[in-house]
Amino acid sequence: MMIALKDLVPAAQNNVNTQFIVLEKGMTIMEGQNKACQSLVADETAAVHFQLWGDECDVVEPSDIIRLTNGIFSYSRNNNLVLRAGKRGKIEKVGEFKMVFVETPNMSEIHWVPDTTNSNKYVKESVLSPYSRIFPPIR
């Protein structure tokens, strides 16, 4: 089942199936033996930071429309909340250029806290920034 980006909630499972357009891509950096880069992606409901790994950094470009299967929305090593394929997920380019999107809210810019009634779930506590602080809005 495909979900809208606005419905993302931090979780430890690879259970995110969604589709989005890549708006911007940051510089590729080395994390140990692996290449990594952040990107800003969006659909018609919200935006989020998407982590690319290895060869994904070379093949994914702005304006690509990507389908993510079994992705994960969780905290990375540097404590940023990112959507990524992870070890069990996969990304697939399904088109380019034409897709309706919004840049706010950015789901990576929300502060989440453990749910007091269920420690396996997170709830929104506050909005850190309406837009990405890594990729400022295109004016």
Side-chain angles (χ1 to χ4, degrees), residues 13-132:
Q13 299 103 340
N14 281 71
N15 60 1
V16 177
N17 298 311
T18 189
Q19 190 166 300
F20 48 76
I21 188 166
V22 179
L23 302 180
E24 289 188 66
K25 190 169 93 173
M27 287 187 338
T28 298
I29 57 166
M30 293 303 291
E31 284 198 9
Q33 298 296 309
N34 297 312
K35 285 192 281 193
C37 62
Q38 288 266 357
S39 62
L40 178 64
V41 303
D43 67 6
E44 65 277 4
T45 66
V48 70
H49 297 144
F50 186 69
Q51 179 83 46
L52 297 164
W53 284 101
D55 293 340
E56 295 170 354
C57 294
D58 301 325
V59 297
V60 172
E61 294 297 334
S63 82
D64 285 353
I65 296 170
I66 303 290
R67 179 173 297 136
L68 173 66
T69 309
N70 295 322
I72 186 167
F73 186 52
S74 64
Y75 290 92
S76 64
R77 284 192 204 109
N78 53 8
N79 218 20
N80 291 330
L81 192 55
V82 294
L83 181 62
R84 61 187 187 272
K87 288 187 172 80
R88 293 191 285 285
K90 80 172 199 175
I91 65 169
E92 172 185 16
K93 181 176 170 181
V94 294
E96 52 190 344
F97 300 117
K98 293 195 187 317
M99 186 170 166
V100 175
F101 68 88
V102 295
E103 287 191 68
T104 185
N106 185 308
M107 302 308 288
S108 294
E109 299 289 1
I110 292 171
H111 185 247
W112 299 81
V113 293
D115 188 335
T116 53
T117 60
N118 179 348
S119 61
N120 291 332
K121 294 183 101 173
Y122 283 88
V123 292
K124 294 176 188 177
E125 184 185 60
S126 60
V127 175
L128 302 172
S129 170
Y131 292 95
S132 169

